[in-house]
Amino acid sequence: KLALTEWDYGGADQPSGGVAAADHLGILGRYDAAACYWGDNKPYLEAAFKLYLNYDGKGSKFGDFSVFAEADDASKGSAHAARDSKDPTRMTVVLISKDPRKPQQAKLTLPPAAGEMATIRAWRFDAGSPRIQEVAKAPAPAPDGFSDMLPPLSATLYELRFGPPSP
């Protein structure tokens, strides 16, 4: 197993540092790598960790079984996804906008084997605040995925539920 004994990108109190940390944590999860953070716990760094470990303030976490996800242009954004081994109807996806000035249009395309998406909820931090907030108007599920507009320097966690829509 790969392990990093220490990491710290700096900027823990800046939006860019939070976005970098969120991307780093997603990469560590993708490769099932271990790492120890070495540095100050500041607002944007804390937001990056909470996005994966307690995004809703009720203990909900990013999935524990990594699935393939990638962005078309890694200089503008990143994508990380995981299924939940305890709940096969749940998938989490983190989409990251690295652009400091412009919103980024994101389109997530799912393979037919993923199943029929019933609901999407989303939580995000962005350049305006390190506080993770539920997105008031999450994107609507489409047969093959969803589209969303990501604010500049933001990280958004989507909780996807599969199966028949709730009544």
Side-chain angles (χ1 to χ4, degrees), residues 6 45 94 136:
E6 295 178 9
L45 175 74
V94 170

Side-chain angles (χ1 to χ4, degrees), residues 35-94:
C36 295
Y37 174 72
W38 183 265
D40 293 332
N41 187 17
K42 293 190 176 173
Y44 276 99
L45 175 74
E46 185 176 337
F49 275 96
K50 282 184 177 178
L51 197 66
Y52 288 93
L53 299 174
N54 187 16
Y55 56 85
D56 62 357
K58 298 175 185 170
S60 295
K61 298 178 182 179
F62 188 72
D64 59 350
F65 186 82
S66 182
V67 295
F68 178 78
E70 72 178 349
D72 288 340
D73 184 345
S75 70
K76 292 182 180 179
S78 297
H80 307 285
R83 285 283 199 173
D84 185 334
S85 64
K86 294 178 184 155
D87 182 354
T89 69
R90 181 176 171 269
M91 176 188 282
T92 50
V93 177
V94 170

